[in-house]
Amino acid sequence: MAAATAVIGIIVAAVLIHNAATTDFGQYLQQVAGMGRMMGGGAGNMMGVNETAYLNSISKSLWTAGIIAVVLAVLTAIYFSRRITSPLRRLSAAAGKVAQGDLSCRVQSGSSDEVGVLSNTFNCMVDSLNENQTARRKLMGDLAHEMSTPLSVIQSNLEGMLDGVVDASPETISSLHHESLVLSRLVKDLRTLSQVEAGRLNLLPAPANLGELASSIVTASEPEAKRKRISLSLEIQPNLPEVLMDPDRISQVITNLLSNSLQYSSEGDAIRISVTENKAGNPENRSLLVTVGDSGQGIAEEDLPHIFDRYYRGVQSKEKRAGGSGIGLTVVKELVEAHRGKVWVESVQGKGSKFFFTLPLPPSLPPSSPLRVGVR
């Protein structure tokens, strides 16, 4: 299109210049003839052989210059169009391969212009897709392992009960109940993560007492802590105000954090949960702070920046059965941020970890009834 416009412009300019030169030269000859008559000479031929040859020479020069300009314009247009369209064609072909599932193709680009930036952005996008695809494949294998173990335990115990080999004792039933909770928590995390990825995470916020919610979760986790001989304590600051939250979602957050601490703690370790008002924030933006700390094995330094990344599994996670699917902490991050809160972690390997998350306080909610600080 640009080349055609340049060609048309050159042709029009050549025609206009030719017509203007012919007209001006004719007027000049008329003036010369008029001066000759005034001086007593004859009119003579206004357009002689020399004048005609001169005009023809001008016309030929104009058309030659126009043709050369057209050829140069076309060649320049072809050069620049190929320089622009060639990487775009390569980019289009690579995009087609990616659409068909080939995530190994990349676009070579040695320029720093807009096309080069686009090519580099495309390569970064494919790298990210490839990483996510690899993580998803690993997740499928991890989930199969995570789900097969409790299912095998439940199946073997139930078959033993049917055959009369295993007694239906409270301890056996408690073990089966624990394995079913592991499955239930895993399925719930998967459903939540799928809702987040699809943009369909629905929250039902209502004023609620965060301390009471944490207390109920700690109470439900006491049997597992006693079975592992882990000390579990809860501290709730008195007279905390209610917070606007979805109780089911925040319950999932605290449960995941507590289960994570139980998983990576051993006999004799201690887990401490606290619910307090956040004093470190801006006084105008008040919030409640929940801390889940343990004296377990801690988190490796290289894992800390990625601990909340989707599908990420650290070195320690691969050595543990439950909670090692790489989605529990991701769900925590997504749910807390959906409540406009913040979540972070502090850890030293070998000395335990502390997970923190905040929930903003609405200014209009009154303080709730005080909760007794309890140690369990």
Side-chain angles (χ1 to χ4, degrees):
M1 180 63 69
T5 303
V7 170
I8 294 174
I10 293 171
I11 294 175
V12 171
V15 172
L16 292 177
I17 293 173
H18 177 267
N19 292 336
T22 303
T23 303
D24 292 343
F25 190 66
Q27 292 177 354
Y28 168 75
L29 292 178
Q30 289 180 354
Q31 291 179 357
V32 171
M35 292 177 62
R37 286 194 298 269
M38 291 176 60
M39 296 176 63
N45 292 327
M46 294 181 58
M47 190 73 70
V49 176
N50 294 330
E51 289 78 4
T52 302
Y54 175 72
L55 288 177
N56 290 336
S57 176
I58 291 178
S59 178
K60 183 178 180 181
S61 299
L62 286 174
W63 285 111
T64 301
I67 292 172
I68 294 174
V70 167
V71 172
L72 291 176
V74 171
L75 293 177
T76 303
I78 292 174
Y79 170 76
F80 283 107
S81 65
R82 286 185 176 179
R83 186 172 181 179
I84 295 174
T85 59
S86 180
L88 291 178
R89 284 196 297 268
R90 292 196 300 268
L91 188 61
S92 177
K97 292 181 180 179
V98 171
Q100 295 175 0
D102 182 8
L103 299 180
S104 62
C105 61
R106 298 294 185 273
V107 178
Q108 299 296 329
S109 175
S111 62
S112 59
D113 55 7
E114 291 80 0
V115 178
V117 172
L118 179 61
S119 299
N120 293 331
T121 304
F122 174 83
N123 291 335
C124 292
M125 179 196 69
V126 177
D127 289 337
S128 178
L129 289 174
N130 194 30
E131 291 176 0
N132 287 336
Q133 185 72 6
T134 302
R136 285 176 183 271
R137 289 172 181 168
K138 291 177 62 179
L139 176 65
M140 292 301 103
D142 296 336
L143 288 177
H145 175 69
E146 294 289 331
M147 299 181 74
S148 65
T149 304
L151 284 173
S152 298
V153 173
I154 294 173
Q155 181 180 356
S156 60
N157 278 274
L158 290 177
E159 289 176 351
M161 291 179 186
L162 290 174
D163 295 337
V165 179
V166 178
D167 295 332
S169 62
E171 291 79 9
T172 303
I173 295 176
S174 176
S175 175
L176 295 178
H177 180 255
H178 171 71
E179 298 297 338
S180 67
L181 289 179
V182 172
L183 282 175
S184 176
R185 185 166 60 248
L186 184 59
V187 171
K188 191 173 184 179
D189 286 345
L190 283 173
R191 183 170 61 248
T192 301
L193 191 58
S194 66
Q195 291 173 342
V196 169
E197 290 183 338
R200 298 177 182 175
L201 180 62
N202 296 321
L203 299 179
L204 300 175
N209 192 309
L210 184 58
E212 291 181 352
L213 180 64
S215 179
S216 64
I217 295 172
V218 170
T219 300
S221 301
E222 283 180 346
E224 183 179 357
K226 289 180 179 179
R227 184 171 58 254
K228 292 185 173 183
R229 298 182 181 181
I230 297 173
S231 173
L232 182 60
S233 63
L234 171 66
E235 180 180 354
I236 303 173
Q237 179 181 328
N239 300 320
L240 286 177
E242 290 187 328
V243 65
L244 196 62
M245 65 178 181
D246 186 328
D248 290 338
R249 300 298 190 182
I250 297 303
S251 175
Q252 190 175 356
V253 169
I254 300 175
T255 299
N256 282 7
L257 292 177
L258 183 53
S259 299
N260 186 75
S261 292
L262 286 170
Q263 178 61 35
Y264 296 112
S265 297
S266 305
E267 180 179 345
D269 288 335
I271 299 176
R272 181 184 179 187
I273 300 96
S274 65
V275 183
T276 60
E277 187 169 351
N278 186 21
K279 302 296 184 180
N282 189 337
E284 297 180 357
N285 299 321
R286 300 168 59 212
S287 62
L288 294 188
L289 173 66
V290 178
T291 305
V292 180
D294 63 70
S295 58
Q297 63 182 1
I299 303 171
E301 184 177 355
E302 60 268 23
D303 292 335
L304 274 176
H306 310 285
I307 199 67
F308 294 106
D309 290 354
R310 194 163 299 179
Y311 314 127
Y312 182 80
R313 298 178 70 236
V315 176
Q316 296 108 321
S317 297
K318 300 173 184 178
E319 302 171 355
K320 297 288 183 177
R321 179 173 63 81
S325 60
I327 62 175
L329 294 179
T330 300
V331 169
V332 167
K333 179 177 182 293
E334 297 289 351
L335 291 179
V336 170
E337 292 183 350
H339 284 79
R340 298 184 179 179
K342 297 180 180 179
V343 61
W344 67 97
V345 62
E346 296 175 359
S347 180
V348 177
Q349 192 168 10
K351 296 184 178 181
S353 306
K354 280 188 177 181
F355 286 85
F356 307 86
F357 75 88
T358 61
L359 294 178
L361 283 171
S364 59
L365 292 180
S368 62
S369 57
L371 288 177
R372 180 173 55 87
V373 175
V375 177
R376 296 175 168 82

